[in-house]
Every structure is written in C-alpha cells, then in structure tokens.
C-alpha cells in the first residue's frame, strides 16, 4: 500500500482535504443521530397495542339533545345488540376511549386507602362483558366480567367499580412477584379514586390511549372497569368485524345505528375509523419525523457524495500530467485506481474519526436538551460504514477516469 | 537492445491521416549512447514515446530487449516500463507533492520492492547524483539542474536496461546542462544504454552515435539534402545570436 506517499501528497492539499473530511465528519454525526432517531420512532410506531387490530373499527357516536342517563344506557344497549346482529360483525362493545386514541381517562391506583401518592397511573377503559372478545384481548389469569356486573355511570358520577380487570404490566407494577408471575395480583384489593375494588382478571397486554412520550412509563398499564359511560357528549363503539368483512361491517354500522335512533351524529370525516387509520393518526408525528430524518440523511449523503466526486474530479484534472508520469514509471491502471481509492479512504477515515466524536457530542447534547436516549454504538458503526462505502462509490467514477490517463501524458508540454 | 523495423505511427482523423513515423528503422545495441536528432516536428519525440512504450504504434515491429512488444497488454507494458526503462524528461516531471526521497521511490513502489531495499537504492541513487542531502526537500525547493538530477536518480534507482532521455538539458542553463550531460556520460561509461532525443547538434555530438530523423524517417546524413539545409539553418541561427 502506498499510504505514506499519499499522506505526504495530501499534506500539500490541506484545504481541500480538511474541507471534505469536515463535511464527512458533520454528515456522519448527523446521519448517526438521525438513524438512531428513525429507529426509535419506527420502534415506537410498531409497538404492539395488545389488541387484534386487523378487523377492528371505531364509531365515534355523538348524542343529540339531552337524554337522561337511563335513556342513554338503554339506547347504547339497543345499539350494541343491533351491531352484534350484523352478519359481518363478530362482536361489539362500548367504551369511553380506546388504545392509541390520544384522549381518555388516566387515574392513580393505590394499594392502601390512606396512601398519599398513587403507586402508579393507569389508563381507564370502560367495558362490558364483550370487550375482551371485541378487542381480542388475551385473558391470562382470572375471569372476564359477567353481564350482571356491568353497570352504567354518568360523566359526573364517582368511579367506583367493585371489580376490575387489569393488564399484566399493571399487575406486575402493583404486586411484583419474585417468580415474575402476574397471577400474584389476582383477587387482590386496590383503590381506584380511593374506592376499593378487586382484581378479578388479568389480560396480557392493552396499550394506553396516549402514545406520547410522557405516558411511556405506564403505556401498558391499563384498567378495564365494568361500566358503560352514559355521557351526553357521546361514546365510542368498538366493533370487531368477521375476517375479510371489515369493509362490509364499516358500511353497515352507520345505517344500523341510525335505524336505531336518528338522534345522533356520526361525523363524515372521522366518525368511522378503521384501526389502521387510528394507528396512522396516532403515530403520524413519529412517522413524519422518521421520514424527515430519512430525507435529511439522503440529502446530506448526496451532498457529501457530490463533494467527493467534485473534489476528486478536480484533483484528477489537476494531476493528469502527474498520473501520466506515474504510468510512465510503471504504474498500472489498477495502481492509479487504487491510489485514488486509497486517498479517499484515508480522507474518509479521518473524517469518520472526527465524525464519531461529533456524533457522540451531538447525542450528549440531545440527551441533555431533549431527554433523548444515549446513542447506541451500533448506529455509529453503521454510519461509519455507510460513509466509507459512500466515499468509495463516489470516488470510483473519477478514479476510473484517472486510470484511463495515458502514460504519454507525461511527455505533453502543455 | 532496441530494434524498430519498418515501424510507422499514423494519427488519423475523419478527414486526414498524418504519418508521425514512416518506415522507421533503428537498431540500438546494448551499452550504446545514441542521440536522436532532428528538427521540431520531425517525429523524434514520437519515436521516444513508442520506444518507451508510452504509446502504441500503427505498423512494423519493435523488439525491446529481445521481446516483440506490439502484442503486449497494458499491464505487461507497464511492467516493462517499470523494470527495463528509465525516463528522463525535458520538464523533469517530478511529482510536486512528494519530496525528493518519495519521488525517487515512485517506480520502486510500483515494482513491489521491500522497504529496506527501496531505501538502500534511493540513497545510492541520490548519492550518485550528489543530492543525498536534499532527500527531504520538495521539487519546488530545488534548482532546475537539481530537479533534473533527481529525475536521473529516479530513472537510475530501478537499474533499468535502457535510459530514454527527452531533451534532458532543454530547460537548463549552460552550466547546469553541462553537469547533467557529464552525469549521463558517466552513467553510460558504467555500461548503461542511453537513447537521447535532442535538437541540439552540440549535445548530440557528445553521444557515441547520431541518428537523424526527418519527416518521420531515419535518414542517412551524408546523402540527405534536408540535413544539410537543417545544419545551415542551425548555424545561421547560432551566428545570428
């Protein structure tokens, strides 16, 4: 390898060398962090909700007028009965919210009534005996609600369910067991809004309504309460279609509900949403950020590649005679190609070394300023590999042109 | 050592064919010091580039050290240039980004020689041309004569069978030209085969044998009226200064 003479020659072209190395370093620092952010966002948006989303859809039902709580409860039960009778529907339930919705109820759970601070926050979902089947939740311990346990609750009533079903993540938080089994929570008493309640069932997973970072600590700590919400504002019907019949069920749902009563509004815009749409809405900022970071990476890499092509082409043009002399002195075309490839590899390696330091520094700043996670070294290695490979690809065309320079160029006087 | 027979070099464009060399014949024996002379545009530099395998020829035969070179591929030609030929150019052709040591090292690296052997040869060559103390200097820090001496050291370091010199004193003043020429004579006395292209009759006179090229052909000087015309032209120019 001719590393020493290449380094000697580069010392005579400090400005170009330093500029391109700096560009590589900056690109590496940004690309590493951007790739890390992309990975985090993609991991976030592909986080499992714990529910069977494929054939699930949601109807946001707003009531018209001022019906009494009893009238509303009767209407809801009639609606659910009509929906469940549709041939394309597997099951249906009703709730105050649903996973990934963004808005809903969170409450603290305590182990003792006089406990000053809650042991944990948890998402509260209203549910009837059909909810587990509708959402496709997996019951891992205990039992589901019975029909006779389901009550109804007004918006201003106290939340005091006698029994609850909770998620495994919440069970483990409330009653950590040595052997890691969530069953330890089964039959235990906890306090929800200072009201005593008993855990009768544990489901494997059920994500909270919010996908925001502030809710990440209790993202899978959820409580199902055996209640129907009779709020004059409205309610959410969750409907599980039969396999392959999602479209048919979604088309049939609104006319079926309107046939039960016309005193309701189902918005044309977002009154009827498949769960795929719910997921897309929930994570659109994550997706947008991942796309934006991806575009930033591609643009930066393209600019860096263009810089390498430009500088190498300039150097090849400037050194035509020198290349001719090298050829006259015995260099093969392969030697010339190797010279420029090695030269680029040296510059890129220098830039990459500086870039690694910059990437880590930039990440530390992001950690302090935006509470980001620490950059995994894997992303630094991936970034270095991408930059070195890009450099070699970018330099290939000008290096091949250089290799075509004839040895007779050495005798040209102009 | 170097034998060209009925060699031709034609440059073709869409409308015209130009013969740079036509029925060119030359035979340089091992250990000879031959000067190739001729007016500008006569084809002597073309001869040198073909002799040095820097470019190909159109017709005829060329044997270098017993090998017919017309069918050799680019790699084989590079290898012969590297191992058998030493070049001395009018414009020195040192690589400005490299110091004297690294410049002399260039052909040795392409030969794949080990570092210790390279270093030994480089220092021997530089000592021979009297520039061992300037090994770390860059070409721009040397005079023209010193640069040409470095070029000669580079040509000698690989122990070539044939030394090709293209107007080696063309860019030097009289004193420096004399010292470079004396160095070439010394190298020749030690057994090297040298072919030197020059348009300077005085320089050519120092060689063992002169070959005159006019219009791309080697001519017999005694019979060719163009030679006498050229000599008269040179004499007139010399007296007129």
């Amino acid at each position: 390898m001719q590393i020493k003479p290449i380094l000697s020659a580069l010392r005579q072209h400090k400005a170009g060398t330093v500029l391109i190395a700096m560009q590589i370093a900056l690109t590496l620092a940004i690309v590493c962090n951007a790739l890390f952010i992309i990975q985090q966002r993609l991991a976030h948006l592909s986080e499992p909700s714990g529910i069977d989303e494929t054939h699930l859809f949601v109807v946001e039902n707003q009531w018209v007028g001022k019906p009494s709580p009893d009238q509303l409860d009767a209407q809801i039960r009639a609606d659910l009965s009509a929906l469940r009778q549709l041939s394309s529907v597997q099951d249906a339930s009703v709730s105050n919210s649903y996973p990934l919705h963004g808005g809903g109820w969170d409450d603290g759970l305590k182990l003792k009534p006089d406990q000053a601070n809650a042991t944990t926050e948890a998402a509260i979902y209203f549910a009837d005996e059909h909810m587990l089947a509708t959402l496709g939740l997996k019951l891992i311990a205990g039992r589901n609600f019975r029909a006779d346990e389901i009550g109804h609750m007004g918006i201003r009533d106290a939340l005091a369910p006698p029994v609850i079903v909770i998620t495994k993540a919440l069970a483990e938080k409330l009653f950590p067991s040595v052997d890691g089994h969530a069953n330890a929570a089964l039959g235990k008493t906890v306090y929800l809004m200072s009201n005593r309640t008993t855990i009768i069932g544990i489901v494997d997973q059920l994500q909270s309504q919010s996908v925001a970072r502030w809710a990440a600590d209790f993202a899978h700590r959820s409580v199902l309460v055996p209640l129907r919400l009779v709020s004059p504002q409205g309610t959410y019907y969750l409907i599980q279609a039969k396999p392959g019949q999602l479209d048919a069920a979604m088309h049939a749902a609104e006319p079926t509900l309107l046939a039960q009563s016309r005193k309701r509004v189902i918005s044309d815009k977002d009154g009827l949403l498949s769960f795929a749409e719910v997921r897309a809405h929930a994570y659109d900022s994550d997706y947008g950020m991942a796309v934006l970071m991806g575009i930033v990476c591609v643009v930066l890499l393209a600019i860096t590649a263009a810089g390498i092509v430009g500088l190498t082409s300039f150097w090849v043009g400037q050194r035509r005679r020198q290349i001719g002399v090298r050829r006259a002195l015995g260099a093969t075309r392969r030697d010339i190609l190797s010279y420029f490839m090695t030269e680029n590899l040296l510059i890129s390696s220098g830039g990459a070394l500086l870039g690694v330091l910059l990437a880590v520094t930039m990440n530390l700043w992001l950690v302090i300023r935006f509470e980001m996670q620490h950059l995994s070294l894997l992303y630094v290695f991936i970034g270095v590999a991408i930059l070195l490979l890009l450099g070699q690809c970018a330099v290939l065309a000008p290096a091949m042109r250089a290799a075509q320079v004839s040895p007779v160029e050495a005798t040209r006087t102009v | 050592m170097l034998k060209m027979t009925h060699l031709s070099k034609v440059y073709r464009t869409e409308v015209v064919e130009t013969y740079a060399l036509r029925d060119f014949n030359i035979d340089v024996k091992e250990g000879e010091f031959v000067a190739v002379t001729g007016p500008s545009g006569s084809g002597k530099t073309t001869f040198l580039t073909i002799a040095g395998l820097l470019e190909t020829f159109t017709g005829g035969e060329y044997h270098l050290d017993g090998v017919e070179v017309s069918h050799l591929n680019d790699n084989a030609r590079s290898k012969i240039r590297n191992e058998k030929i030493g070049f001395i150019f009018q414009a020195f052709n040192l690589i400005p980004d490299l110091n004297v040591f690294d410049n002399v090292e260039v052909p040795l690296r392409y030969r794949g020689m080990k570092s210790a052997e390279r270093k030994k040869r480089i220092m021997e060559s530089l000592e021979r041309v009297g520039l061992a103390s300037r090994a770390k200097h860059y070409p721009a820090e040397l005079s023209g004569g010193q640069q040409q001496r470095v070029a000669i050291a580079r040509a000698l370091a690989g122990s070539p069978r044939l030394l090709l010199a293209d107007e080696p004193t063309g860019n030097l003043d009289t004193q420096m030209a004399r010292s470079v020429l004396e160095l070439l004579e010394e190298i020749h006395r030690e057994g090297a085969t040298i072919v030197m292209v020059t348009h300077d009759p005085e320089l050519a006179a120092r060689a063992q044998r002169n070959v005159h090229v006019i219009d791309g052909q080697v001519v017999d000087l005694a019979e060719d009226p163009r030679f006498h015309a050229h000599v008269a032209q040179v004499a007139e120019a010399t007296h007129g200064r």
Side-chain angles (χ1 to χ4, degrees):
Chain A
M1 289 295 279
Q2 39 188 341
I3 291 173
K4 186 178 152 276
I6 293 176
L7 286 174
S8 301
L10 285 177
R11 273 198 285 274
Q12 306 300 312
H13 298 274
K14 283 193 191 84
T17 306
V18 168
L19 273 177
I20 207 77
M22 288 292 290
Q23 190 179 356
I24 288 168
L26 199 62
T27 304
L28 178 64
I30 295 171
V31 165
C32 286
N33 281 286
L35 284 176
F36 186 54
I37 291 171
I38 290 171
Q39 183 275 333
Q40 282 190 315
R41 297 293 173 141
L42 291 180
H44 190 216
L45 65 86
S46 55
E47 209 171 295
S49 62
I51 63 179
D52 179 5
E53 299 177 17
T54 319
H55 307 109
L56 189 67
F57 67 100
V58 182
V59 178
E60 184 180 346
N61 181 96
Q62 292 171 296
W63 303 117
V64 175
K66 291 185 178 176
S68 69
D70 287 337
Q71 283 175 319
L72 277 182
D73 191 48
Q75 184 61 61
I76 289 169
R77 292 166 73 171
D79 287 348
L80 286 169
S81 174
L83 288 169
R84 285 169 192 152
Q85 282 172 25
L86 286 171
S87 61
S88 54
V89 169
Q90 187 81 42
D91 211 340
S93 189
V94 65
S95 188
N96 60 324
S97 186
Y98 49 89
L100 316 187
H101 177 225
W105 291 7
D106 298 316
D107 265 315
L109 276 101
K110 299 176 183 175
L111 298 174
K112 292 175 184 168
D114 54 352
Q115 197 175 312
N117 295 314
T119 304
T120 178
E121 292 288 311
I124 308 295
Y125 291 114
F126 285 45
D128 61 9
E129 72 279 16
H130 290 267
M131 183 60 91
L132 265 59
T134 302
L135 294 185
L137 299 180
K138 187 180 169 194
L139 188 71
I140 59 170
R143 65 171 178 85
N144 188 9
F145 300 127
R146 292 192 308 267
D148 61 283
E149 287 173 326
I150 312 298
H152 68 266
M153 178 188 144
I155 194 85
R156 296 184 195 284
D157 298 339
L159 182 64
V163 292
I164 55 173
V165 171
I166 65 172
T167 57
K168 182 178 160 189
L170 179 57
E172 284 167 351
K173 176 66 183 172
L174 290 170
F175 301 100
S177 65
V178 183
D179 56 4
H181 284 300
N183 299 15
L186 203 61
K188 294 272 176 27
T189 298
V190 291
Y191 294 85
L192 183 62
M193 301 271 291
S194 301
N195 295 309
R196 191 171 186 275
T197 185
T198 303
I199 300 167
I200 59 159
I202 297 169
V203 292
D204 188 34
Q205 202 175 17
L206 177 60
Q207 199 173 356
S208 69
Q209 310 93 334
S210 176
V211 295
R213 298 202 167 272
W214 58 264
D217 284 347
F218 56 95
H220 291 277
R221 294 178 198 162
S222 305
V223 178
L224 292 166
V225 295
L227 291 167
R228 280 185 294 272
L229 180 67
V230 285
S231 160
Q233 274 80 44
T235 193
Y236 296 101
Y237 291 114
L238 304 171
I239 303 158
Q240 183 71 246
K242 285 179 179 166
Q245 297 192 47
L246 179 65
D247 286 343
M250 287 181 76
H251 273 105
E254 189 177 351
T256 303
L257 291 171
L258 289 173
Q260 291 300 310
S261 165
R262 299 199 69 83
K263 290 183 178 175
R264 70 177 89 226
V265 174
I266 298 169
S267 163
D268 289 340
K269 190 180 165 208
D270 52 9
L272 198 67
L273 293 173
S274 70
F275 216 84
E277 291 171 302
V278 171
R279 177 167 280 278
H281 287 170
Y283 288 110
D284 58 355
S285 69
D286 287 285
Y287 184 73
M289 179 61 87
V291 169
L292 182 67
M293 289 290 123
I295 291 170
V296 167
C297 285
V298 169
V299 169
L300 268 176
L301 290 172
I303 291 171
T304 303
I308 292 169
V309 170
L311 186 73
T312 313
S313 298
F314 173 70
W315 278 351
V316 168
Q318 200 184 36
R319 297 184 200 166
R320 276 189 76 80
R321 190 186 180 94
Q322 188 187 123
I323 296 163
V325 171
R326 286 180 182 277
R327 293 278 282 128
L329 297 177
T332 59
R333 289 192 174 119
R334 196 188 185 87
D335 289 326
I336 299 297
L337 188 73
S338 153
Y339 181 95
F340 282 95
M341 302 290 277
T342 309
E343 183 181 70
N344 173 268
L345 194 63
L346 290 172
I347 297 172
S348 299
S349 300
L353 199 65
L354 189 64
V356 168
L357 295 176
L358 262 178
V360 173
T361 309
M362 191 181 283
N363 175 251
L364 283 176
W365 179 76
L366 289 170
V367 168
I368 294 165
R369 182 77 180 78
F370 298 106
E371 295 181 351
M372 251 184 67
Q373 287 179 22
H374 283 283
L375 178 64
S376 157
L377 279 181
L378 176 69
Y379 290 88
V380 178
F381 289 132
I382 291 173
V384 169
I386 288 174
L387 259 297
L388 294 184
L389 196 66
L390 180 83
Q392 291 292 283
C393 291
V395 83
L396 192 60
M400 283 172 78
R401 276 203 303 279
Q404 294 306 314
V405 171
S406 165
V408 80
E409 201 74 32
T411 62
R412 304 251 191 265
T413 49
V414 180
Chain B
M1 167 55 65
L2 183 160
K3 187 176 183 185
M4 292 177 177
T5 314
H6 306 302
L7 191 133
S8 63
K9 175 68 180 175
V10 185
Y11 294 104
R12 289 193 175 92
T13 66
E14 282 180 12
V15 289
V16 70
E17 278 190 352
T18 308
Y19 276 82
L21 296 178
R22 186 199 298 264
D23 195 23
F24 192 94
N25 297 289
I26 189 170
D27 188 359
V28 178
K29 304 293 183 202
E30 184 148 12
E32 266 195 306
F33 184 178
V34 176
V36 178
T37 59
S40 294
S42 61
K44 54 188 192 301
T45 297
T46 303
F47 153 71
L48 195 87
T49 58
I50 292 172
L53 306 186
L54 299 181
E55 64 179 331
T56 55
F57 50 93
T58 314
E61 288 182 4
Y62 171 25
H63 288 83
L64 178 65
D65 199 21
V67 177
E68 214 293 303
V69 300
S70 61
H71 301 299
L72 296 179
N73 66 20
D74 192 75
N75 279 354
R77 293 165 73 87
S78 295
K79 189 173 161 65
I80 290 179
R81 281 198 299 272
N82 182 260
E83 293 178 357
K84 293 190 175 177
I85 304 172
F87 287 99
I88 301 165
F89 301 99
Q90 180 178 1
F92 323 136
N93 278 353
L94 298 179
I95 295 171
D97 301 336
L98 302 179
N99 64 27
V100 165
F101 185 97
D102 291 339
N103 259 291
V104 179
E105 193 181 31
V106 170
L108 306 183
R109 276 187 178 271
Y110 291 129
R111 200 180 289 191
M113 200 177 275
K114 288 206 161 55
S115 171
E117 172 71 7
R118 287 203 305 265
K119 191 174 178 184
K120 180 172 161 279
R121 284 195 183 218
I122 293 163
M123 292 318 292
E124 279 173 4
S125 300
L126 288 175
E127 273 164 22
R128 191 168 178 189
V129 300
L131 287 172
S133 61
R134 303 294 179 102
K136 296 296 169 193
H137 284 65
Y138 282 85
E141 298 165 345
L142 304 176
S143 69
Q146 286 172 325
Q147 287 188 49
Q148 193 59 297
R149 282 170 171 274
V150 174
I152 293 171
R154 181 175 67 184
L156 295 176
S159 308
R161 304 284 315 273
L162 173 66
L163 211 54
L164 295 176
D166 183 12
E167 305 278 10
T169 60
N171 281 3
L172 303 177
D173 62 34
T174 314
Q175 196 178 349
M176 284 181 181
R178 189 173 301 130
S179 107
V180 166
L181 196 60
E182 281 166 3
L183 182 59
L184 286 177
E185 284 173 332
E186 187 188 320
I187 293 163
H188 171 240
R189 277 196 298 276
E190 288 168 11
T193 308
I194 302 176
V195 175
M196 176 176 69
V197 162
T198 181
H199 68 274
D200 183 348
E202 194 183 341
L203 197 62
R206 306 278 289 262
Q208 265 182 328
R209 179 158 72 96
N210 273 216
V211 172
H212 199 70
V213 180
I214 293 179
D215 293 339
Q217 283 182 303
V218 175
V219 295
D220 184 331
L221 300 184
E223 292 175 3
D224 197 317
R226 291 174 295 184
F227 171 68
H228 296 290
H230 175 61
V231 169
Q233 201 179 5
V234 169
E236 192 182 334
T238 310
H239 293 307
R241 276 179 204 161

